[in-house]
């Protein structure tokens, strides 16, 4: 399996590349910024790209932006995004976008070669990989009562289809409801689950997590 690695920290990039090679992968490119990664992907498409979220010049979301571009232009290429910290908003974007062959992993997991190799193979096969620490940070939000108890039967139906990763249009077609009616039910679900829009939260994903964890 062929892999391209992108990280602006030279020591980490070279160490990661060496680990991947030891695990039996072929590292086809080692770059330190998003534009270089995109150029390498265009010139010699790998099976998987492993990319840091924060890279030059602003060290904000360059890696994530590159990952999105690769996913849009080369959907067959798996993308594994690495982060030094738990940043749930970025991981949730992968789920929200319905991404396949994508993953979000903390850099600390790289020291576990087995876990790293498994993550690479899973995204290469079209799977979705989310770091357990991110999932734990979401499900740890304890409540005294189950907010799902407040949902009507129809709101539960809408949430059930939403949990399949379906859009509002698909929910409308499945349940034979008008788009406006579906939007109203979805708003009702968000309100009753107490999911206010925020920088670190995605209400649609959190609603599904609440449903699946009931």
């Amino acid at each position: 399996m062929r892999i391209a690695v992108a990280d602006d920290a030279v020591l980490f990039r070279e160490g990661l590349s060496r680990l991947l090679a030891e695990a039996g992968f072929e590292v086809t490119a080692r770059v330190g910024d998003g534009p270089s990664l995109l150029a390498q992907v265009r010139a010699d498409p790998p099976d998987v790209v492993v990319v840091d979220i924060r890279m030059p010049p602003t060290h904000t979301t360059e890696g994530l932006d590159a990952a999105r571009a690769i996913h849009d232009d080369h959907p067959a290429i798996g993308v594994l995004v690495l982060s030094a910290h738990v940043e749930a908003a970025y991981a949730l974007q992968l789920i929200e976008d319905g991404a396949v062959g994508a993953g979000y992993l903390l850099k600390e997991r790289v020291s576990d070669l087995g876990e790293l190799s498994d993550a690479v193979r899973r995204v290469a096969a079209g799977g979705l990989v989310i770091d357990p620490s991110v999932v734990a940070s979401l499900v740890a939000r304890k409540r005294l009562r189950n907010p799902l108890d407040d949902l009507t039967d129809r709101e539960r139906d809408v949430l059930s289809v939403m949990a399949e990763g379906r859009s509002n249009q698909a929910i409308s077609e499945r349940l034979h409801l008008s788009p406006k009616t579906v939007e109203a039910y979805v708003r009702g679900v968000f309100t009753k689950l107490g999911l206010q829009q925020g920088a670190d939260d995605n209400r649609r994903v959190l609603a599904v997590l609440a449903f699946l964890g009931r």
Side-chain angles (χ1 to χ4, degrees), residues 17 41 49 71 76 80 96 98 127 152 172 203:
S17 298
V41 168
V49 166
H71 184 264
L80 181 61
E96 179 190 23
T152 66
S172 175
R203 294 181 296 175

Side-chain angles (χ1 to χ4, degrees), residues 15-25 108-121:
L16 175 59
S17 298
R18 182 172 180 176
L19 285 174
L20 290 168
E22 290 178 356
F25 300 108
E108 65 186 45
R109 308 284 178 189
V110 170
S111 60
D112 187 330
L113 187 55
E115 186 168 2
L116 173 63
S117 299
D118 179 64
V120 169
R121 292 190 176 94

Side-chain angles (χ1 to χ4, degrees), residues 3-7 13-18 21 26-33 36 40:
I3 302 177
V5 175
D7 195 294
R13 182 173 72 234
E14 294 303 316
L16 175 59
S17 298
R18 182 172 180 176
E26 178 186 355
V27 179
T28 61
R30 301 176 177 87
V31 299
D33 58 73
S36 297
Q40 287 288 341

Side-chain angles (χ1 to χ4, degrees), residues 172-187:
S172 175
E173 295 172 358
R174 172 79 67 84
L175 300 180
H176 305 291
L177 299 171
S178 72
K180 288 187 178 181
T181 299
V182 171
E183 290 176 6
Y185 280 130
V186 169
R187 286 196 301 270

Side-chain angles (χ1 to χ4, degrees), residues 92-199:
L92 292 175
Q93 287 177 24
L94 294 174
I95 304 175
E96 179 190 23
D97 295 340
V100 294
Y104 175 99
L105 205 63
L106 292 183
K107 284 188 172 182
E108 65 186 45
R109 308 284 178 189
V110 170
S111 60
D112 187 330
L113 187 55
E115 186 168 2
L116 173 63
S117 299
D118 179 64
V120 169
R121 292 190 176 94
R122 285 167 63 190
V123 299
L128 183 65
V129 177
I130 301 297
D131 195 282
S133 295
V134 174
V135 177
S137 72
L138 296 173
V139 301
R141 302 177 183 193
K142 297 180 180 178
R143 299 183 175 95
L144 295 178
R145 58 187 299 278
N146 189 346
L148 292 174
D149 294 340
D150 292 336
L151 301 183
T152 66
D153 289 342
R154 208 50 166 161
E155 287 170 340
R156 285 175 177 271
D157 291 340
V158 168
L159 183 52
S160 177
V161 181
M162 190 190 301
E164 298 176 13
R166 306 294 182 179
S167 66
N168 282 6
Q169 181 60 39
I171 295 172
S172 175
E173 295 172 358
R174 172 79 67 84
L175 300 180
H176 305 291
L177 299 171
S178 72
K180 288 187 178 181
T181 299
V182 171
E183 290 176 6
Y185 280 130
V186 169
R187 286 196 301 270
V189 169
F190 290 159
T191 299
K192 291 181 180 179
L193 295 184
L195 301 177
Q196 303 301 319
Q197 187 69 50

